Amino acid sequence: IAGITQAPTSQILAAGRRMTLRCTQDMRHNAMYWYRQDLGLGLRLIHYSNTAGTTGKGEVPDGYSVSRANTDDFPLTLASAVPSQTSVYFCASSDGPPSGANVLTFGAGSRLTVL
Amino acid sequence: GQNIDQPTEMTATEGAIVQINCTYQTSGFNGLFWYQQHAGEAPTFLSYNVLDGLEEKGRFSSFLSRSKGYSYLLLKELQMKDSASYLCAVMDSNYQLIWGAGTKLIIKP
């Protein structure tokens, strides 16, 4: 089934530890995104990539890094996790670069708890 | 700053009609999206409006007034499976999506 796979589904992590959330898509979409979703807030963009080999910062990039070595994979790394990074993380992709009719396909999410 | 406002929660009865409003203030406008998100699941695309007026898609319709910075999502013949959060998002002049916090819709029998 075509779509986006995220791993892990959920994780409890000690503060200060390094963590990588994995995201793989099989739709050959050019653009990929990482969002975090917190109760009472809208989805907030962390980082994005318009095409393989390029990345950009979103609204809340501090404490996170990404890479886009190929079209399919877009991992998100927390170098040293802090409790404020407790959230649900969604990876998403879209067929082309951002445009008016840019429909996003989302992964199922990764629930991260930092203690 | 940029802002998207939508009600936090709404309750409706199975078989009825419900209208979920969204008002926005953004730097430019390149379209408005509605997504549905069931609890614990990923958001899924419902509709896209870039011109004023009503777009109908089955039981769901979405309306846009750019001059008023206003949109609504209309759900007809409500079913229990429509219980979900409905997310409004606007694409600004930099083609960045600005998201509302979502409206949790509760359907009662």
Side-chain angles (χ1 to χ4, degrees):
Chain A
I1 297 176
I4 296 179
T5 302
Q6 289 186 235
T9 303
S10 67
Q11 181 77 43
I12 300 174
L13 186 67
R17 297 296 296 269
R18 181 184 179 89
M19 178 72 194
T20 295
L21 303 180
R22 300 183 298 278
C23 175
T24 300
Q25 54 110 351
D26 62 3
M27 298 172 286
R28 307 302 292 174
H29 282 175
N30 285 311
M32 297 188 75
Y33 313 84
W34 274 105
Y35 285 93
R36 59 178 289 172
Q37 187 174 43
D38 301 290
L39 195 63
L41 298 177
L43 288 164
R44 291 183 291 170
L45 183 65
I46 304 170
H47 285 286
Y48 65 92
S49 169
N50 287 336
T51 189
T54 69
T55 62
K57 294 181 179 181
E59 179 186 358
V60 289
D62 293 344
Y64 306 94
S65 64
V66 292
S67 62
R68 186 89 184 276
N70 56 60
T71 297
D72 298 341
D73 301 301
F74 191 45
L76 176 73
T77 297
L78 289 67
S80 179
V82 295
S84 62
Q85 292 177 313
T86 294
S87 188
V88 180
Y89 291 86
F90 285 100
C91 180
S93 70
S94 61
D95 193 15
S99 67
N102 199 26
V103 175
L104 299 181
T105 299
F106 285 86
S110 294
R111 180 176 296 274
L112 183 65
T113 302
V114 183
L115 301 176
Chain B
Q2 308 201 90
N3 195 49
I4 309 286
D5 285 318
Q6 45 181 138
T8 302
E9 187 174 296
M10 299 181 70
T11 301
T13 304
E14 188 177 17
I17 299 172
V18 70
Q19 178 176 309
I20 302 173
N21 296 324
C22 171
T23 58
Y24 63 89
Q25 292 176 307
T26 58
S27 301
F29 179 84
N30 279 300
L32 185 143
F33 297 80
W34 285 96
Y35 282 76
Q36 180 190 59
Q37 185 178 24
H38 286 101
E41 298 183 8
T44 56
F45 171 74
L46 284 178
S47 68
Y48 168 71
N49 295 69
V50 67
L51 299 176
D52 291 350
L54 188 68
E55 295 277 346
E56 297 186 78
K57 191 184 296 184
R59 293 189 299 114
F60 292 9
S61 302
S62 56
F63 172 83
L64 174 67
S65 169
R66 288 172 296 171
S67 63
K68 295 182 179 179
Y70 168 69
S71 172
Y72 66 74
L73 181 69
L74 191 71
L75 291 73
K76 302 176 184 178
E77 302 169 13
L78 285 170
Q79 302 175 10
M80 297 304 293
K81 68 178 182 179
D82 298 329
S83 291
S85 289
Y86 292 85
L87 314 181
C88 175
V90 172
M91 184 164 282
D92 69 11
S93 58
N94 294 318
Y95 295 102
Q96 296 292 322
L97 274 175
I98 312 301
W99 294 83
T103 298
K104 182 178 180 180
L105 178 63
I106 300 168
I107 310 296
K108 295 186 175 180

